[in-house]
Amino acid sequence: MKPRLFLLNLLLITGVLVRAAEGTSCGQDEYQCPVSLECINKDWLCDEFPDCDDKTDEPPHQDCSGDTGGDADENESADTSGGVVPQGQDSANQPSGVDPSADGSQETLQEPPERCSLRKCQPGKKMRLVDGRTYRYHYVTKSMTQASGSSPSNTVLTMDADLALTLLTACEMELVVESVSVETSRSDSGGEQETVQDTAFTAALTKNPLRFAYHDGEVEEVCPAADEDPRALNFKRAVISLLQNTMKRLDLDHQATERDIVGECQVDYEVLGASGTTLVIQKTRHIPSCISRSSSTSFVQGVPYAFVGGLHRIPLLNSSSKCIQKIGKGLVQEASCLE
């Protein structure tokens, strides 16, 4: 049997700031790009990385000799959770999730019910995501299988989904599958696709959001709902694996050991070049080196054997994985993988 081919593609559609109405001015801690009208964090001003299309957030358009405006106001101080607390007011004296208004009434604020990240969030150097912003992606995965010598045709399974990734805090995101379709073609169908009617699976995919800790490109923790379907969880883990980038700097090649849906694997990052303000990076995962992989049952009989060196599992099938990530404006704009 020929190796299965898995093609995964993740494309950013748009990143929009959730607001009450279009045309609203940027927040107090944001800077609005004059041409695109995009709102960016003031901390991104004068950081030697242009975030506006017209580069007005960097010199000579900005005076970078003094304060960039990214710090909190003088009458405010940052708390340990990344929020801002006015001086003279103890946040511990206020009920959790309650904000007293001017007329004495109380308004319940929407806050994450729990934290997924296990460590304090550090400011990102590579990824520059904005709190409260929702980034929408289009995701396609295709699996092709062909039996050698039996037929020139192959069997194809295609999944197509629309995704929404919302930044809850500086290092915590929430993935929501908004819609999904599944199609397949049999080896005797001549390549004609037919829709798979699996309402239970599609309902499981869209039922629960998946929270995960995202520290400057690295997925450190995944916090699924208690009733999450294992199939839906694996699908979502595959999606966020495409967003993972553990490079120290985006302009330098890097080698690392990463943990994702495949296991703990040796990974090589190679900078292929730039396209405008977007960096093109090739990510190669050495699958035979992976450990902590899920076990599987095979009709091929074998005896456990301890290998010396970097090989951790008998490679009954030759496997390889290469991904292309396109990173610009502080986020992964597009990712495609072939396994």
Side-chain angles (χ1 to χ4, degrees), residues 13-313:
I13 301 175
T14 181
V16 295
L17 185 63
V18 180
R19 297 189 184 276
E22 294 184 356
T24 306
S25 60
C26 296
Q28 192 173 19
D29 58 347
E30 293 179 321
Y31 169 80
Q32 188 169 40
C33 303
V35 176
S36 65
L37 302 181
E38 180 184 7
C39 299
I40 67 172
N41 196 306
K42 285 185 178 180
D43 289 336
W44 300 359
L45 300 177
C46 302
D47 61 354
E48 300 181 358
F49 188 96
D51 298 287
C52 295
D53 292 337
D54 54 6
K55 302 181 179 180
T56 54
D57 56 316
E58 300 298 329
H61 306 285
Q62 296 289 331
D63 181 10
C64 300
S65 58
D67 184 15
T68 61
D71 297 329
D73 293 339
E74 292 182 358
N75 64 335
E76 296 177 332
S77 60
D79 67 3
T80 57
S81 63
V84 176
V85 181
Q87 289 185 352
Q89 176 181 327
D90 185 1
S91 60
N93 294 332
Q94 294 294 336
S96 176
V98 176
D99 179 33
S101 59
D103 59 359
S105 62
Q106 292 183 333
E107 178 185 359
T108 301
L109 302 178
Q110 292 184 352
E111 295 182 354
E114 60 182 12
R115 290 179 58 185
C116 184
S117 178
L118 298 180
R119 67 181 176 93
K120 182 179 179 181
C121 179
Q122 300 295 331
K125 297 180 180 179
K126 301 179 308 182
M127 305 301 174
R128 299 150 185 265
L129 306 174
V130 181
D131 290 8
R133 180 165 293 186
T134 297
Y135 302 89
R136 285 186 164 80
Y137 288 85
H138 186 69
Y139 175 81
V140 178
T141 177
K142 181 179 291 186
S143 172
M144 294 173 285
T145 306
Q146 181 178 355
S148 180
S150 61
S151 170
S153 302
N154 52 36
T155 300
V156 180
L157 178 68
T158 304
M159 297 184 65
D160 198 298
D162 291 319
L163 313 171
L165 282 144
T166 301
L167 195 69
L168 302 178
T169 65
C171 298
E172 194 158 326
M173 300 191 75
E174 182 180 77
L175 169 65
V176 174
V177 180
E178 296 184 326
S179 63
V180 63
S181 63
V182 183
E183 294 182 338
T184 186
S185 64
R186 300 187 305 272
S187 59
D188 58 351
S189 65
E192 183 178 352
Q193 296 272 328
E194 60 181 34
T195 302
V196 177
Q197 301 293 342
D198 191 346
T199 55
F201 177 58
T202 55
L205 283 176
T206 56
K207 179 181 178 181
N208 297 314
L210 177 65
R211 295 169 62 115
F212 61 97
Y214 192 63
H215 288 264
D216 202 23
E218 181 176 2
V219 179
E220 290 197 344
E221 296 291 335
V222 178
C223 302
D227 60 343
E228 185 75 278
D229 186 293
R231 298 176 301 167
L233 177 59
N234 285 333
F235 175 89
K236 296 170 186 177
R237 289 177 61 199
V239 170
I240 62 178
S241 292
L242 291 173
L243 299 173
Q244 180 156 252
N245 182 297
T246 59
M247 300 173 71
K248 301 299 182 183
R249 289 175 47 177
L250 294 177
D251 57 343
L252 296 177
D253 295 349
H254 181 64
Q255 293 181 336
T257 299
E258 285 186 2
R259 181 181 61 176
D260 58 17
I261 189 172
V262 179
E264 295 183 12
C265 310
Q266 296 176 10
V267 177
D268 291 340
Y269 288 93
E270 180 183 358
V271 181
L272 300 182
S275 176
T277 59
T278 302
L279 286 174
V280 181
I281 297 169
Q282 179 174 275
K283 176 181 178 179
T284 303
R285 184 192 294 114
H286 302 284
I287 296 182
S289 72
C290 299
I291 61 176
S292 302
R293 299 186 65 183
S294 300
S295 60
S296 60
T297 303
S298 173
F299 65 89
V300 179
Q301 299 298 316
V303 177
Y305 188 84
F307 283 89
V308 177
L311 202 60
H312 297 275
R313 177 166 296 203

